[in-house]
Amino acid sequence: GNSVTQMEGPVTLSEEAFLTINCTYTATGYPSLFWYVQYPGEGLQLLLKATKADDKGSNKGFEATYRKETTSFHLEKGSVQVSDSAVYFCALRQDTGTASKLTFGTGTRLQVTL
Amino acid sequence: KAGVTQTPRYLIKTRGQQVTLSCSPISGHRSVSWYQQTPGQGLQFLFEYFSETQRNKGNFPGRFSGRQFSNSRSEMNVSTLELGDSALYLCASRGQGDEQFFGPGTRLTVL
């Protein structure tokens, strides 16, 4: 079956540091890949997505590239801010006919300090 | 455009009771999915409804059920509640594109 593996957290960084959160996946075919962010007490918000190999998703300074050869979708940001503190989830969607569901990683908590 | 709304936001029940959670998708969205989020198991897919039909189901016992109405609003029901059902239940709606839009969730506590 499909699965997503994320690096264990928490990740603690100083403001303006470089961020990488690793994500690898197992799936048949060509899934779509997503990064979601969850702030305390809230639901999930889509951060970025990529739907085919070599696509780069980007939003709010975050980037991730769909690497089929390494089955990876690592999240990066060049300079984090305190406001980026949240839990980040990597996910894939494998459409089967008309049905679809998201398979999530376990989430990585990011804490950014001044 | 209003986002996905879920009611109630918080719920406390006791073991053995049943509960019904409601989700109103974004206007025009016909697909509604439900997920359970717990510290131990993370985010797990419960089921997906599209045009009043369940078209995908996760690996949960039959105590978990759902339905969708003609206006795309969805409800999920959990019967004979167990302590392990305590979780954040998230609803997501999807339109024509890739993105699923999540609601704020209903936090269920089972005592």
Side-chain angles (χ1 to χ4, degrees):
Chain A
N2 299 334
S3 67
V4 176
T5 302
Q6 283 182 243
M7 62 188 288
E8 291 282 334
V11 173
T12 303
L13 295 173
S14 298
E15 199 170 45
E16 298 184 2
F18 184 85
L19 169 71
T20 299
I21 300 178
N22 290 338
C23 170
T24 57
Y25 68 90
T26 301
T28 56
Y30 302 93
S32 295
L33 301 174
F34 305 84
W35 276 101
Y36 281 85
V37 58
Q38 186 175 35
Y39 297 100
E42 299 184 13
L44 278 74
Q45 299 175 26
L46 179 66
L47 183 59
L48 52 83
K49 67 179 182 182
T51 57
K52 61 183 187 295
D54 300 325
D55 266 2
K56 178 187 281 189
S58 61
N59 185 26
K60 299 180 182 179
F62 291 90
E63 292 183 339
T65 301
Y66 189 146
R67 300 284 187 203
K68 185 161 174 57
E69 63 275 14
T70 54
T71 62
S72 65
F73 193 54
H74 304 321
L75 182 68
E76 296 182 335
K77 186 175 186 184
S79 176
V80 293
Q81 305 299 311
V82 172
S83 58
D84 293 327
S85 298
V87 181
Y88 292 81
F89 293 92
C90 184
L92 70 81
R93 196 186 74 232
Q94 184 92 60
D95 287 340
T96 307
T98 56
S100 64
K101 71 173 190 180
L102 286 169
T103 300
F104 286 92
T106 52
T108 303
R109 181 175 300 279
L110 170 66
Q111 183 164 353
V112 181
T113 59
L114 289 171
Chain B
K1 207 182 230 187
V4 178
T5 58
Q6 293 187 244
T7 56
R9 291 293 310 277
Y10 302 91
L11 207 47
I12 299 175
K13 293 286 189 179
T14 56
R15 279 179 298 175
Q17 288 187 309
Q18 75 164 17
V19 67
T20 299
L21 313 181
S22 180
C23 171
S24 292
I26 291 172
S27 178
H29 286 192
R30 294 162 66 189
S31 167
V32 174
S33 297
W34 288 89
Y35 294 84
Q36 181 196 63
Q37 185 177 21
T38 59
Q41 299 297 317
L43 279 153
Q44 294 187 288
F45 173 79
L46 280 155
F47 25 67
E48 178 193 8
Y49 286 86
F50 181 86
S51 293
E52 302 179 66
T53 301
Q54 185 183 88
R55 65 178 185 182
N56 208 352
K57 189 177 190 302
N59 189 25
F60 277 81
R63 300 186 297 107
F64 291 81
S65 63
R67 59 179 177 168
Q68 187 180 32
F69 302 94
S70 58
N71 62 357
S72 294
R73 189 177 70 85
S74 177
E75 289 181 347
M76 68 163 281
N77 184 274
V78 188
S79 62
T80 321
L81 284 166
E82 300 176 1
L83 296 179
D85 297 332
S86 294
L88 181 67
Y89 290 87
L90 293 165
C91 166
S93 78
R94 181 183 169 200
Q96 301 278 9
D98 282 333
E99 184 174 355
Q100 290 196 35
F101 295 84
F102 283 81
T106 294
R107 183 162 299 280
L108 171 65
T109 301
V110 182
L111 302 175

